[in-house]
Amino acid sequence: MKRIISTFLIAACATVAHAQTITYTDSMQWKAYDDFNEVFLDKSKYIYRDYSDRPVAVDRWGGAAAIWCQAIYFDMVVNAYRRAEAEGDKARMSKYKTLFTRIFNGEKSQYVNFNFDDCNTNTGWFVYDDIMWWTGALARAYEVFGNNIYLTYSEKSFCRTWYGSAKVGDDGSYADPARFSGKYGGGMFWEWQPIDKPKPHKEGDFRSACINFPTVIAACHLHQLVPEGRTPPTAVRPTRQTKEWYLEKAIEVYDWASSTLVNTSGRVADGIHGGGPEFKDHLYNQATYIGASCMLYKITGETKYRTNAIRGANYVFTTMSSTNGGYLPLEKGVEQGIYAAIFAQYISMLVYDLEQTRFLTYIKKNLQKAWDNRDTERGISNGNFRQKTTSTEQVESYTASGMPALMLMFPVGDSSTGVRSDAAKAEKDLSDVYSLDGKLLMKDVTIDQVNSLDSGLYIYQKRKYVVK
């Protein structure tokens, strides 16, 4: 029954792809990102504002976007450079490398020089997941640009979160099973309290998806990036760890979080206080679960991670989006609008790295609608892709980030450089599947999707094909 249901979902997805017309182009996608920066980037400080009508980004209380969301915007400029590099566009590579450097320096200056032991609640660090979002972003910056300072900050922030800070006095995010027994042990705590004079964590403190899966992602990045042969540290609170340690902890945290916070349909709970998992759908939790699963699959090759990533994405597109006309849900409230930008970062791993091109149809549907409904004067979207964005409305940078973040990660493939995207190549290789009597079974699918059918003989790419 499960295989049949999956087949119908794939077929339905392919039908949508066949029917839709894509009018946005590569140049329009670049424009979407540039327009986002024009509206929301404070060019005097090179950090991002929270609202479109803010003249400057002073601080947390005076117009600056939230500290953890700045990390998502930081990811976007890294992704812009990576895309320009993949397309062989030297002019854009230079442009976005310069922009990246300015944003890095601006963020570093704004946020106490990345002193993760400074817990002031205005420009400092006072929640574990805020720090961990930057851990991942800085690791990706090192991966692309190779400057050791990015790796140093990434490792420092990871270890500060894991072990706690001697200066702040917290005992770290890790809910060590040796200290917290049974259902209270494992995974990562979301926060320390009080902020200025923390008390030790106790059983039942909140362990949320938004710290656990980003921890896995960051640990996977660091495992891939740090050199071999490091001597294991002996300090109580080290500032870096070994390659092997990062992977060991990534797997440990993932095993706890996936078994505790995720159900069999791929739905991710928001967290747990000590009872059962507290389910509430959030796109960013689904996104980081997908990303963590993809990264562990790429590192280990274990199929359970691939299966989990697909389940997490299926839940987004077939359940969370089903009541919204097939479009990504927008959550209203402070900072929640950024969830689609986070989703862009990790759904692209599933589509390209794990070759799950079936999800491209949903993504293109969302991007086309977002582009059609953007404010054409400012070039921004209010995040509700189904709703027209007017030229007079105030728009949050959080909600506006979804369209350009997705645009950066999913090229159309008609660049003037002549470099076609992976998406375009994948679609060229798609073909229809027929039964032997000529009945159309599935449209525009990959060979992997054909192999998901029940055992039998089919017609694929105008040839007989056996599924064993």
Side-chain angles (χ1 to χ4, degrees), residues 95-125:
K95 172 183 176 179
Y96 293 120
K97 176 63 184 298
T98 299
L99 181 60
F100 164 82
T101 301
R102 289 173 176 170
I103 291 175
F104 171 77
N105 289 332
E107 299 285 357
K108 182 174 180 287
S109 177
Q110 179 74 11
Y111 296 110
V112 293
N113 291 310
F114 290 140
N115 176 5
F116 301 105
D117 295 315
D118 186 331
C119 64
N120 86 79
T121 57
N122 188 3
T123 58
W125 311 86

XYZ file of all heavy atoms in Angstrom, residues 95-125:
265
model
N 31.408 40.335 -7.639
C 30.395 41.157 -6.973
C 29.983 40.551 -5.639
O 29.943 41.250 -4.602
C 29.177 41.288 -7.894
C 27.972 41.953 -7.253
C 26.795 41.971 -8.229
C 25.539 42.535 -7.605
N 24.407 42.580 -8.578
N 29.701 39.261 -5.632
C 29.179 38.647 -4.410
C 30.289 38.283 -3.427
O 30.029 38.178 -2.227
C 28.297 37.452 -4.755
C 27.034 37.880 -5.475
C 26.740 37.417 -6.760
C 26.155 38.782 -4.886
C 25.595 37.838 -7.427
C 25.016 39.210 -5.549
C 24.738 38.744 -6.821
O 23.609 39.168 -7.472
N 31.505 38.120 -3.911
C 32.619 37.948 -2.974
C 32.836 39.243 -2.193
O 33.045 39.227 -0.969
C 33.896 37.563 -3.732
C 35.141 37.457 -2.841
C 35.038 36.371 -1.795
C 36.249 36.345 -0.864
N 37.518 36.069 -1.589
N 32.770 40.365 -2.882
C 32.892 41.660 -2.206
C 31.751 41.867 -1.224
O 31.966 42.307 -0.080
C 32.909 42.798 -3.236
O 34.038 42.639 -4.104
C 32.975 44.150 -2.555
N 30.538 41.543 -1.658
C 29.380 41.690 -0.782
C 29.497 40.767 0.426
O 29.205 41.176 1.562
C 28.097 41.390 -1.558
C 26.788 41.529 -0.763
C 26.621 42.946 -0.237
C 25.592 41.125 -1.633
N 29.935 39.542 0.204
C 30.126 38.603 1.312
C 31.083 39.175 2.352
O 30.809 39.134 3.560
C 30.663 37.267 0.793
C 31.230 36.398 1.884
C 30.406 35.612 2.669
C 32.594 36.408 2.155
C 30.937 34.832 3.697
C 33.134 35.632 3.174
C 32.294 34.851 3.957
N 32.211 39.700 1.895
C 33.220 40.228 2.824
C 32.650 41.378 3.637
O 32.873 41.472 4.858
C 34.461 40.687 2.054
O 34.998 39.573 1.320
C 35.527 41.224 2.992
N 31.902 42.246 2.993
C 31.303 43.380 3.700
C 30.269 42.909 4.727
O 30.208 43.432 5.843
C 30.658 44.332 2.701
C 31.673 45.110 1.866
C 31.006 45.923 0.770
N 31.990 46.729 0.046
C 31.730 47.383 -1.084
N 30.505 47.313 -1.623
N 32.665 48.106 -1.667
N 29.457 41.915 4.331
C 28.449 41.409 5.265
C 29.114 40.693 6.431
O 28.718 40.876 7.595
C 27.454 40.492 4.533
C 26.599 41.321 3.566
C 26.559 39.746 5.527
C 25.674 40.496 2.699
N 30.128 39.876 6.161
C 30.825 39.206 7.257
C 31.389 40.225 8.244
O 31.204 40.106 9.459
C 31.962 38.332 6.723
C 32.848 37.794 7.812
C 32.444 36.721 8.603
C 34.086 38.374 8.079
C 33.247 36.235 9.635
C 34.891 37.905 9.103
C 34.472 36.827 9.886
N 32.062 41.243 7.735
C 32.647 42.253 8.618
C 31.568 43.030 9.363
O 31.739 43.371 10.548
C 33.528 43.211 7.815
C 34.806 42.558 7.331
O 35.314 41.625 7.953
N 35.334 43.016 6.203
N 30.461 43.292 8.678
C 29.364 44.004 9.329
C 28.724 43.195 10.438
O 28.441 43.711 11.527
N 28.501 41.920 10.168
C 27.897 41.048 11.183
C 28.847 40.870 12.365
O 28.436 40.908 13.534
C 27.558 39.690 10.575
C 26.556 39.719 9.427
C 25.121 39.958 9.875
O 24.869 40.049 11.101
O 24.236 40.046 9.004
N 30.099 40.670 12.085
C 31.092 40.489 13.152
C 31.157 41.729 14.038
O 31.195 41.633 15.284
C 32.455 40.195 12.532
C 33.582 39.942 13.532
C 34.846 39.522 12.793
C 36.006 39.255 13.754
N 36.552 40.506 14.322
N 31.166 42.893 13.427
C 31.226 44.132 14.189
C 29.966 44.333 15.021
O 30.038 44.771 16.181
C 31.416 45.312 13.233
O 31.401 46.542 13.926
N 28.816 44.013 14.444
C 27.541 44.209 15.148
C 27.408 43.271 16.341
O 26.946 43.682 17.400
C 26.380 43.979 14.178
C 25.000 44.120 14.798
C 24.608 45.552 15.080
O 25.282 46.491 14.632
N 23.528 45.753 15.807
N 27.825 42.027 16.147
C 27.578 41.017 17.166
C 28.852 40.688 17.944
O 29.384 39.581 17.906
C 26.929 39.790 16.520
C 25.564 40.167 15.960
C 25.343 40.216 14.587
C 24.537 40.550 16.813
C 24.113 40.627 14.081
C 23.306 40.958 16.309
C 23.103 40.999 14.951
O 21.886 41.408 14.456
N 29.326 41.729 18.632
C 30.417 41.689 19.610
C 31.600 40.856 19.131
O 32.181 40.075 19.880
C 29.903 41.208 20.991
C 28.960 42.238 21.587
C 29.211 39.844 20.930
N 31.963 41.045 17.846
C 33.135 40.368 17.273
C 33.065 38.847 17.412
O 34.082 38.177 17.582
C 34.427 40.905 17.896
C 34.706 42.329 17.470
O 34.666 42.649 16.288
N 34.953 43.202 18.438
N 31.857 38.324 17.304
C 31.618 36.878 17.448
C 32.215 36.336 18.746
O 32.775 35.242 18.778
C 32.145 36.104 16.240
C 31.343 36.334 14.987
C 31.970 36.478 13.757
C 29.964 36.395 15.018
C 31.229 36.684 12.593
C 29.212 36.605 13.861
C 29.850 36.760 12.651
N 32.054 37.133 19.809
C 32.418 36.676 21.145
C 31.202 35.941 21.709
O 30.281 36.560 22.245
C 32.797 37.854 22.037
C 33.081 37.432 23.476
O 33.089 36.242 23.801
N 33.300 38.408 24.348
N 31.187 34.632 21.584
C 30.016 33.850 21.942
C 29.830 33.697 23.452
O 28.854 33.097 23.903
C 30.092 32.476 21.258
C 30.170 32.575 19.761
C 31.371 32.337 19.091
C 29.073 32.949 19.017
C 31.454 32.453 17.710
C 29.132 33.070 17.641
C 30.333 32.821 16.988
N 30.757 34.271 24.217
C 30.627 34.307 25.671
C 29.976 35.605 26.159
O 29.818 35.788 27.363
C 31.996 34.146 26.333
C 32.617 32.794 26.060
O 31.907 31.786 26.176
O 33.815 32.747 25.706
N 29.626 36.475 25.240
C 28.951 37.727 25.597
C 27.449 37.491 25.474
O 26.918 37.336 24.369
C 29.399 38.846 24.662
C 28.842 40.207 25.061
O 27.737 40.265 25.649
O 29.500 41.215 24.768
N 26.761 37.468 26.622
C 25.333 37.115 26.598
C 24.424 38.328 26.753
O 23.282 38.193 27.219
C 25.026 36.078 27.684
S 25.277 36.667 29.371
N 24.892 39.519 26.369
C 23.983 40.652 26.430
C 22.837 40.424 25.441
O 23.027 39.856 24.359
C 24.729 41.974 26.164
C 24.846 42.310 24.684
O 23.908 42.794 24.065
N 26.036 42.029 24.128
N 21.662 40.842 25.804
C 20.467 40.486 25.031
C 20.179 41.460 23.896
O 19.144 41.342 23.237
C 19.238 40.409 25.953
O 19.081 41.663 26.635
C 19.399 39.296 26.970
N 21.070 42.376 23.636
C 20.878 43.308 22.543
C 21.691 42.906 21.322
O 21.154 42.632 20.244
C 21.249 44.726 22.983
C 20.878 45.770 21.947
O 20.288 45.457 20.922
N 21.223 47.014 22.201
N 23.017 42.810 21.493
C 23.889 42.442 20.370
C 24.709 41.196 20.687
O 25.686 40.913 19.981
C 24.847 43.602 20.029
O 25.625 43.909 21.205
C 24.081 44.836 19.593
N 24.318 40.453 21.712
C 25.068 39.276 22.116
C 24.306 37.983 21.900
O 23.329 37.932 21.142
N 24.723 36.946 22.610
C 24.287 35.578 22.357
C 23.654 35.008 23.624
O 24.328 34.852 24.628
C 25.489 34.735 21.933
C 26.284 35.400 20.848
C 27.282 36.314 21.006
C 26.109 35.241 19.446
N 27.757 36.733 19.780
C 27.052 36.080 18.798
C 25.259 34.465 18.658
C 27.165 36.177 17.413
C 25.372 34.554 17.276
C 26.302 35.393 16.674
